[in-house]
Amino acid sequence: MRGSKRRRSTLVVALALVAGLGATVPAHADDPAYPFRNPSLTVDQRVDDLLGRLTLDEKISLLHQYQPAIPRLGIPSFRTGTEALHGVAWLGETTVFPQAIGLASSWDPALLEQVGSAVGDEARGFQQERPAGWGLNLWAPVVNPLRDPRWGRNEEGYSEDPALTGALSTAYGEGLTGGDPDHLKTAPTIKHYLANNNEWHRTTTDSELRPRVAKEYDEAAFKPAIEADAATGVMSSYNLVNGRPNTVNPDLNDLVRSWSSHDLMNVTDAGGPGNLHGDEKYYPSVVEGDAAAIKAGIDSFTDNDANSSVTTGAVKSALDKGLLKEADVNEAAGHILSVRVRLGEFDPGGGRYGSIDKSVINSPAHQQLARKAATEGAVLLKNQSGALPLKKSEKDVAVVGPLADTLYTDWYSGTLPYAVTPAEGIAAKLGTDVATSEGVDRIALKNTATGKYITTGDALLKESAQSPGEQTQFDVLDWGAGVVTLRSAVSGKYVGYNWSGFADDQAQPGGWFVQQQFKLEQQADGSYLLRYAGYETEESWWGNPVYVGPTGTDGTLGLVSKEQAAHYTKDVVRSGVDEAVAAVRGKDAAVVVVGSTPSINGREGHDRTDMGLAPAQEALVKAVRKANPKTVVVVENSYPTTLGALQQDVPALLWTSHAGQETGNALADLLYGDANPSGRLTQTWYRSESDLPSILDYDIIKSDRTYQYFKGQALYPFGYGLSYTSFRYGDLRRTADGFEVKVTNTGSRAGDEVVQLYTHQRVSRDKQPLKQLKAFQRVALKPGQTRTVHLKLSPKDLAHWDVTRSKWVTEKGTYDVLAGASSADLRARTTWKVAGETIPARDLTRTTRAENFDDYAGTHLVDESKERGTAVSAASDGAWLKFGDARLGAGAAQFTARVAGSSGTVEVRLGSPTGTLAGTATFAGTASPYTYETVTADLSRAAAKGRTDVYLVLKGEGLRLSTFSLR
């Protein structure tokens, strides 16, 4: 029985006990005679028994992230939410695997399952000591499709394609769970439901999803892992969808729970419940908000940190006011207890995985796996004239660039137990030292008015030194979009703001607000203003000035207004470009490692505003290339980058994510040919930001987004990646359950090919993707070896969402089936005649939901009511909706519509938004946007007949249309 259908009650428990499931009452709370401690019973029986033993207050206490112990029953405390995106985070040193985008670039589900299993083991490894923040409910993976590469959290996702995302997230989740939904290693929660792809005002922005985009794109990424029992619930996201906050999205119960036969435990994102009556102002108080969230399908509230009293108090008040019933609490608590039972918490010895201890953390096997993952996830973007692999015999090598000899971690990273940098990895590979240089300028900043230099050495930076010296010197690293970091030459630490002044006290940029960000703004007179650019300066509550200058008589630096800001000369003590050029000149090879730090110019809370490589880094590459023709470039970052002229200038480009502790060894293996690059891009790399619409535009169909609909020429297409060998494809042939193609390694090296299968629907009632990934397989081939690759595909896999009947449909017709090395490199093709349906003409005599349009202009999708449903609102006067190919027969006499909100009219026009006017319905308006009235209009039978496109033109901004019919 599905968990969403079960309504638990003490009556169920009583009947179970009568049936003999617990014939005796134990004397001690941990006595195995308690049915909930009996592993031989079903999960449901154990949950029902435990629910029957809990008081109402105890059940309510389970609904917060921090669930207290219940000593009388021997139940320990429980906490939801251990971060485990690419390793266990925030608990100390653990194995740090590549970022999620790097793992995904392997296109290797088997690898992701192995990594997930390792992460699950390490989460279990902490259980003997249970450090603060530990728990077995893991908040991973992130399955939001990477619709827009400017999303600040791009590093956390897998792919812009929902099918690839679904396959990889399912594999990772199966590793985390252990593969048996009734005996969980850990309980993964996938996030963030739903359509959460922008950080700009993320608690108040509205992701508008027409039904086809919701079904075919966003929901499609979440369903596979839930359906495969590779996840135990979803996290609701901060944003709204169609006017309704996702914290109260009815999908949580109505849809997500329908995907699984097991109980799901749905959680809120941190602070999400408070937003309902806070930023979003959707409910008047926490009581109404929390009650609505429980009704919608939220079980666990992540709010007010460890203080559960706000949530439990709100739930109790909601019960008192009749907003909730005890059955609602039972249902939510039951979902939570189901997960805890399946985790083995109440089993002898902690169940199947209870004996795992700390010895698994950063074990040698996990270190090897981290190296494999970092290797498989790197993508060879360019390799002109065989520039790679480098020769090991040519040992006189320089490794330069801002990321040459350091590794950066991201917000959800674990603590590196060790770090193999690119320079260290190459040195170890060659068995000799390599020359290194970051290639960054070392500068001193002198106040033009006082002649004093910014100086380190005290607790806070001051303007004190009268002459330049080491304590006045800072390395300035350019990260793009005008943002730089300053690192003290003396301490080697980064300078940051600490709410009172500036100190050099951070090993690398980090923290929630990343307070190590600055901008050097050149003035007309050649001097510079130093602008503080920590992320908190972008918050609405920030009221402080942002410029730097002395604030006391001792010269201590603080924040001042622009008018009071100090003007500085930027004295270059050492040229980074000159140093790097000197390091590479005459060397057998030069490796330049450029890219990003995951904390700057794009991360949680902040979208990217610039997709280019930092100007100083691009200039560095050009100078090094000029000094040494044997230059190869490694781009180490978390997202697609517009590489500009650099892509043309250098002979070889290798991309990697921030790939964890084994980054350097993996890069060395790849650069020197001990490993053959086999990663493939999971996103389109665009040439320019101009190729993209607003990041807030979620309609990938209308705005031609992602490789599925993009009509331009990409810098690098979805699925792209080169190898040191070559592959030949044979003919694509139909099999009983899909297609097969022979692939041959025609080169001299062993290598892995990622065989990708795409389809294109030639003719359809609806706009279809230019191509769409349907299957893929990673295959290892020795030189000269041929393998027949089988790729499953059935007619149902070709289905799209039919808005005329609100159902999945596979249309009858001819489909192109294409196999190849990327979405743009298709080597084999055939056609497939599919005996599907023909979508009939629309029957508008039936009540039709306004959201099921075929096209639109000037409209918004909004919440029909606070509880459920979607309506369409006019965003401007003259907004319109198209309902294509409608059969009106001999003539429709009357138009009927449910409308709410502002006054206005609804015109029925034929053929186009300005076509023949068949009738007009007038609406006087309602006080509430949720109060609907029925309006009608007589139609001209002479006009409203036959088979035609019907347009509804909405005149009156704020007018809402829910449903309509023409009869």
Side-chain angles (χ1 to χ4, degrees), residues 173-348:
E174 286 177 342
L176 292 174
T177 64
D180 181 349
D182 287 327
H183 300 87
L184 299 168
K185 181 188 294 185
T186 65
T189 297
I190 56 178
K191 53 185 187 177
H192 314 79
Y193 195 90
L194 183 71
N196 177 206
N197 277 134
N198 65 271
E199 298 302 291
W200 186 84
H201 291 190
R202 61 181 179 166
T203 62
T204 55
T205 51
D206 191 354
S207 306
E208 295 185 33
L209 297 184
R210 58 195 286 191
R212 279 195 63 197
V213 175
K215 297 294 181 185
E216 297 173 23
Y217 194 65
D218 287 277
E219 291 172 14
F222 280 82
K223 184 177 180 181
I226 297 291
E227 195 170 45
D229 291 319
T232 58
V234 301
M235 173 188 284
S236 61
S237 57
Y238 290 123
N239 58 293
L240 294 78
V241 166
N242 299 345
R244 183 181 298 107
N246 274 325
T247 308
V248 290
N249 189 332
D251 281 1
L252 299 170
N253 262 338
D254 299 348
L255 182 64
V256 175
R257 285 201 159 98
S258 74
W259 294 337
S260 176
S261 60
H262 286 78
D263 270 341
L264 301 178
M265 180 182 72
N266 296 327
V267 309
T268 73
D269 208 337
N275 291 336
L276 290 171
H277 63 276
D279 288 353
E280 293 159 346
K281 296 180 174 53
Y282 202 70
Y283 288 99
S285 75
V286 64
V287 175
E288 287 85 352
D290 284 8
I294 290 173
K295 287 284 193 180
I298 289 294
D299 306 306
S300 178
F301 288 76
T302 316
D303 209 11
N304 302 294
D305 299 320
N307 177 14
S308 63
S309 64
V310 177
T311 296
T312 57
V315 173
K316 291 174 184 178
S317 294
L319 288 166
D320 291 341
K321 294 180 178 181
L323 300 175
L324 289 174
K325 298 179 180 178
E326 186 171 352
D328 297 316
V329 174
N330 289 345
E331 188 72 13
H335 295 147
I336 294 167
L337 291 175
S338 175
V339 168
R340 293 180 67 172
V341 166
R342 288 183 278 154
L343 283 167
E345 183 177 339
F346 309 123
D347 290 0

Side-chain angles (χ1 to χ4, degrees), residues 717-741:
F718 173 82
Y720 175 86
L722 301 177
S723 170
Y724 293 154
T725 191
S726 57
F727 301 95
R728 183 180 67 240
Y729 283 64
D731 293 335
L732 189 60
R733 301 183 184 277
R734 176 84 177 124
T735 65
D737 61 351
F739 290 83
E740 66 180 22
V741 62

Side-chain angles (χ1 to χ4, degrees), residues 6-15 47-49 51-52 59 326-327 330-331:
R6 186 191 303 112
R7 304 303 296 182
R8 296 187 174 89
S9 68
T10 54
L11 176 61
V12 174
V13 177
L15 292 174
V47 170
D48 287 340
D49 173 73
L51 268 178
K59 287 182 285 191
E326 186 171 352
N330 289 345
E331 188 72 13

Side-chain angles (χ1 to χ4, degrees), residues 443-458 460-474 490 550 553-557 568-569 571:
I443 66 171
L445 296 171
K446 181 176 68 174
N447 189 318
T448 60
T450 66
K452 293 182 179 180
Y453 289 87
I454 296 178
T455 311
T456 63
D458 293 327
L460 297 176
L461 269 63
K462 298 180 179 179
E463 290 182 2
S464 60
Q466 296 284 354
S467 58
E470 195 174 15
Q471 287 188 324
T472 69
Q473 296 174 13
F474 300 89
V490 173
T553 56
D554 64 350
T556 298
L557 294 179
Y568 296 101
T569 61
D571 300 339

Side-chain angles (χ1 to χ4, degrees), residues 680 717-722 727 729 753-758 771 818-829:
R680 302 294 185 265
F718 173 82
Y720 175 86
L722 301 177
F727 301 95
Y729 283 64
E753 172 70 324
V754 178
V755 181
Q756 303 163 41
L757 188 74
Y758 296 85
K771 59 181 72 75
L818 316 118
S822 80
S823 61
D825 184 7
L826 299 165
R827 315 274 186 87
R829 62 184 65 218

Side-chain angles (χ1 to χ4, degrees), residues 862-865 871-873 897-905 922-935 955-962:
V862 295
D863 49 340
E864 183 177 14
S865 71
V872 177
S873 174
R898 288 183 71 240
V899 289
S902 301
S903 62
T905 62
T922 301
F923 174 53
T926 55
S928 167
Y930 305 120
T931 301
Y932 286 84
E933 293 183 355
T934 299
V935 297
K955 293 191 173 180
E957 184 176 350
L959 185 153
R960 292 187 173 204
L961 174 64
S962 171

Side-chain angles (χ1 to χ4, degrees), residues 603-675:
R603 54 151 281 177
E604 183 173 357
H606 299 272
D607 295 314
R608 295 166 67 200
T609 58
D610 185 338
M611 291 170 58
L613 192 66
Q617 294 187 30
E618 188 167 350
L620 172 68
V621 172
K622 290 179 178 178
V624 169
R625 164 70 170 152
K626 184 177 180 181
N628 189 325
K630 295 181 180 179
T631 294
V632 298
V633 176
V634 176
V635 179
E636 184 180 339
N637 64 17
S638 315
Y639 33 68
T641 303
T642 53
L643 295 173
L646 180 65
Q647 195 274 338
Q648 297 294 329
D649 291 343
V650 298
L653 281 166
L654 180 70
W655 175 84
T656 178
S657 70
H658 293 281
Q661 62 202 54
E662 286 286 339
T663 298
N665 284 331
L667 287 176
D669 288 344
L670 291 161
L671 292 172
Y672 284 90
D674 288 334

Side-chain angles (χ1 to χ4, degrees), residues 69-248:
I70 303 174
R72 69 181 185 85
L73 293 174
I75 296 174
S77 61
F78 185 86
R79 177 187 180 276
T80 64
T82 297
E83 300 294 351
L85 191 59
H86 53 108
V88 180
W90 305 352
L91 298 183
E93 292 184 355
T94 57
T95 309
V96 178
F97 294 95
Q99 292 176 307
I101 186 66
L103 291 173
S105 298
S106 70
W107 289 60
D108 189 346
L111 173 67
L112 265 77
E113 184 172 353
Q114 289 179 306
V115 173
S117 181
V119 175
D121 283 347
E122 297 201 8
R124 279 280 181 175
F126 284 103
Q127 66 188 330
Q128 312 302 341
E129 60 182 40
R130 291 177 59 131
W134 171 84
L136 293 176
N137 170 227
L138 307 186
W139 287 354
V142 170
V143 302
N144 298 105
L146 301 180
R147 170 191 62 95
D148 193 307
R150 296 168 297 187
W151 184 34
R153 303 182 77 168
N154 193 84
E155 68 201 30
E156 298 181 35
Y158 287 145
S159 171
E160 70 183 36
D161 182 80
L164 180 57
T165 295
L168 297 176
S169 60
T170 298
Y172 191 71
E174 286 177 342
L176 292 174
T177 64
D180 181 349
D182 287 327
H183 300 87
L184 299 168
K185 181 188 294 185
T186 65
T189 297
I190 56 178
K191 53 185 187 177
H192 314 79
Y193 195 90
L194 183 71
N196 177 206
N197 277 134
N198 65 271
E199 298 302 291
W200 186 84
H201 291 190
R202 61 181 179 166
T203 62
T204 55
T205 51
D206 191 354
S207 306
E208 295 185 33
L209 297 184
R210 58 195 286 191
R212 279 195 63 197
V213 175
K215 297 294 181 185
E216 297 173 23
Y217 194 65
D218 287 277
E219 291 172 14
F222 280 82
K223 184 177 180 181
I226 297 291
E227 195 170 45
D229 291 319
T232 58
V234 301
M235 173 188 284
S236 61
S237 57
Y238 290 123
N239 58 293
L240 294 78
V241 166
N242 299 345
R244 183 181 298 107
N246 274 325
T247 308
V248 290

